[in-house]
């Protein structure tokens, strides 16, 4: 008999795959994307604005001048403040700079001063109304900084206004 070639049987290899490394990498990727997603959320100050249908315009003649505190933002991080209406202010304009001993201290003092005065005249619910007027020469960081000061001092009523009276324009031109 002839020698027939024998069939060569292939050896079966183990079909087990070690997935330990892939599981570790997938967990690391999940953690990475969760952290990146959390860090990429925009951070900002809350600015409370009225709803679209609730904007009411009208004269402010019924607001007493002692409650109005105006902050003019000028160039070079300079701030000019006054109380009342500029043609007849309750206090003469003052110049400040940003910082803990600058405008922050003044805003705290003004808030307490107006609160005490309102209590003395029998209107304990009256509080300070701050009008913030950034000049065209001021930068956006100044506006953000003054809004931070409003949040730190817990000023409830403030407005950002872009209209300058001639007296305010003249006051800003003086250095």
């Amino acid at each position: 008999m002839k020698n027939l070639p024998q069939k060569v049987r292939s050896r079966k290899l183990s079909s087990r795959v070690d997935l330990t490394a892939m599981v570790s990498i997938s967990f690391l990727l999940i953690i990475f994307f969760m952290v990146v997603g959390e860090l990429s959320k925009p951070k900002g100050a809350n600015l409370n604005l009225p709803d679209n249908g609730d904007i009411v315009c009208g004269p402010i003649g019924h607001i007493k001048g002692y409650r109005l505190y105006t902050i003019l933002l000028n160039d070079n991080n300079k701030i000019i403040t006054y109380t009342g209406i500029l043609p007849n202010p309750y206090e003469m304009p003052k110049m400040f700079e940003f910082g803990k001993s600058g405008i922050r201290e003044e805003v705290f003092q003004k808030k307490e001063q107006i609160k005490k005065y309102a209590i003395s005249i029998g209107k304990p619910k009256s509080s300070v109304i701050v009008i913030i007027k950034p000049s065209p020469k001021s930068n956006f960081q100044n506006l953000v900084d003054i809004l931070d000061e409003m949040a730190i001092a817990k000023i409830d009523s403030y407005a950002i206004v872009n209209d300058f009276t001639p007296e305010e324009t003249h006051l800003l031109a003086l250095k």
Side-chain angles (χ1 to χ4, degrees), residues 97 99-109 149 152-153:
E97 291 189 10
K100 193 173 188 176
S101 62
I103 190 66
R104 182 177 303 167
E105 186 176 315
E106 176 67 16
V107 169
F108 273 113
Q109 287 177 356
E149 297 297 338
I152 291 169

Side-chain angles (χ1 to χ4, degrees), residues 5-174:
Q6 290 184 342
K7 289 186 181 177
V8 178
R9 289 193 179 189
S10 62
R11 206 169 108 191
K12 301 237 178 183
L13 296 175
S14 172
S15 62
R16 300 181 87 195
V17 178
D18 187 17
L19 297 177
T20 307
M22 191 176 348
V23 170
S24 297
I25 289 175
S26 59
F27 277 122
L28 286 173
L29 285 173
I30 289 170
I31 292 170
F32 172 76
F33 285 117
M34 287 174 60
V35 169
V36 167
E38 187 64 32
L39 293 178
S40 66
K41 289 181 182 176
K43 307 274 189 277
N46 291 332
L47 184 59
N48 296 327
L49 297 174
D51 294 334
N52 289 338
D54 296 341
I55 298 175
V56 178
C57 297
I60 61 168
H62 64 283
I63 297 174
K64 301 295 182 192
Y66 73 89
R67 292 179 62 195
L68 295 176
Y69 185 61
T70 304
I71 299 175
L72 304 173
L73 303 177
N74 206 358
D75 59 343
N76 297 328
N77 298 329
K78 300 291 182 196
I79 302 169
I80 301 173
T81 66
Y82 63 90
T83 304
I85 300 171
L86 194 54
N88 189 16
Y90 282 84
E91 276 183 4
M92 294 308 293
K94 299 177 188 175
M95 187 175 282
F96 294 97
E97 291 189 10
F98 287 98
K100 193 173 188 176
S101 62
I103 190 66
R104 182 177 303 167
E105 186 176 315
E106 176 67 16
V107 169
F108 273 113
Q109 287 177 356
K110 186 57 65 180
K111 180 182 174 184
E112 289 302 314
Q113 177 186 3
I114 290 173
K115 186 177 180 180
K116 286 179 185 176
Y117 181 73
I119 290 171
S120 71
I121 63 170
K123 298 188 177 195
K125 293 187 178 180
S126 295
S127 63
V128 65
I129 299 171
V130 178
I131 301 170
I132 302 168
K133 294 187 176 186
S135 74
K137 294 179 181 177
S138 68
N139 57 30
F140 186 71
Q141 185 63 43
N142 290 346
L143 182 61
V144 171
D145 290 343
I146 202 67
L147 290 176
D148 287 343
E149 297 297 338
M150 296 297 110
I152 291 169
K154 296 183 179 152
I155 302 293
D156 296 327
S157 301
Y158 60 89
I160 302 170
V161 180
N162 202 14
D163 296 331
F164 286 89
T165 63
E167 293 90 1
E168 290 170 337
T169 305
H170 179 69
L171 186 61
L172 286 173
L174 297 174

